[in-house]
Amino acid sequence: MGTPMKSLEGQRVTLRPIDVERDAQEWFEAMQEPEMHLWTGNNIPIDVDEVRDVVLATYANHPEIFAWCIRESITDKMVGIYWIGVPFISDEQRLVTLDAQRIAKPFWRKGYTREARSLVYDYAFTDLGVEEIRASGSRAA
């Protein structure tokens, strides 16, 4: 599963399916910032191969999530990664129980996450027919 069905466009950000080769170098550079890992339990990757072959490949191909690369709309610079759990039925309700993101430090507290979340939630409720999102900060991979 892993790959969302479409890209999502906002004013500030565009979310598109992860392109493992294209996104690896930028995400490797972003993940070198120690503060990105304070609350996530992630480790700083040792090289771009780890980011490409483990991190991004896992997000792009994980069977239980839809994952997007978040790009700044104007510059096309990588801002981060956003993912949600694949919707499923529980108690006769279509829901998502996983919602998380990793944002590069230069983009913290500037509205990028808010817009990305709004785009993803609109997609989940409108296109996927989700009735409830139970947000969490848990890692998908």
Side-chain angles (χ1 to χ4, degrees):
M1 189 66 72
T3 303
M5 295 176 222
K6 69 178 192 175
S7 295
L8 310 173
E9 294 186 33
Q11 293 181 346
R12 183 172 286 191
V13 297
T14 299
L15 284 71
R16 63 156 171 74
I18 293 170
D19 180 329
V20 174
E21 292 300 323
R22 178 179 170 197
D23 300 332
Q25 183 63 44
E26 278 187 280
W27 198 235
F28 171 72
E29 292 168 9
M31 292 189 76
Q32 296 307 297
E33 172 56 55
E35 287 187 74
M36 285 201 46
H37 309 283
L38 286 178
W39 300 283
T40 64
N42 296 339
N43 296 315
I44 295 174
I46 58 170
D47 58 28
V48 73
D49 292 333
E50 180 182 353
V51 168
R52 182 186 59 244
D53 300 339
V54 178
V55 177
L56 291 179
T58 298
Y59 290 132
N61 299 305
H62 198 289
E64 297 177 10
I65 65 171
F66 290 135
W68 292 267
C69 173
I70 306 169
R71 314 257 343 156
E72 189 174 39
S73 295
I74 294 172
T75 66
D76 197 38
K77 183 166 179 61
M78 188 168 187
V79 172
I81 296 172
Y82 203 110
W83 63 91
I84 60 170
V86 172
F88 65 96
I89 304 294
S90 176
D91 297 326
E92 299 182 29
Q93 187 174 26
R94 190 165 173 82
L95 64 111
V96 166
T97 57
L98 178 67
D99 159 75
Q101 69 282 320
R102 300 289 180 266
I103 304 295
K105 188 176 180 190
F107 301 97
W108 289 2
R109 296 175 185 85
K110 296 181 180 172
Y112 292 93
T113 304
R114 179 177 39 245
E115 185 175 75
R117 180 176 292 116
S118 178
L119 291 167
V120 170
Y121 281 19
D122 183 61
Y123 173 70
F125 290 120
T126 303
D127 293 3
L128 300 178
V130 170
E131 298 168 274
E132 181 180 350
I133 296 175
R134 297 179 185 166
S136 72
S138 301
R139 294 186 334 165

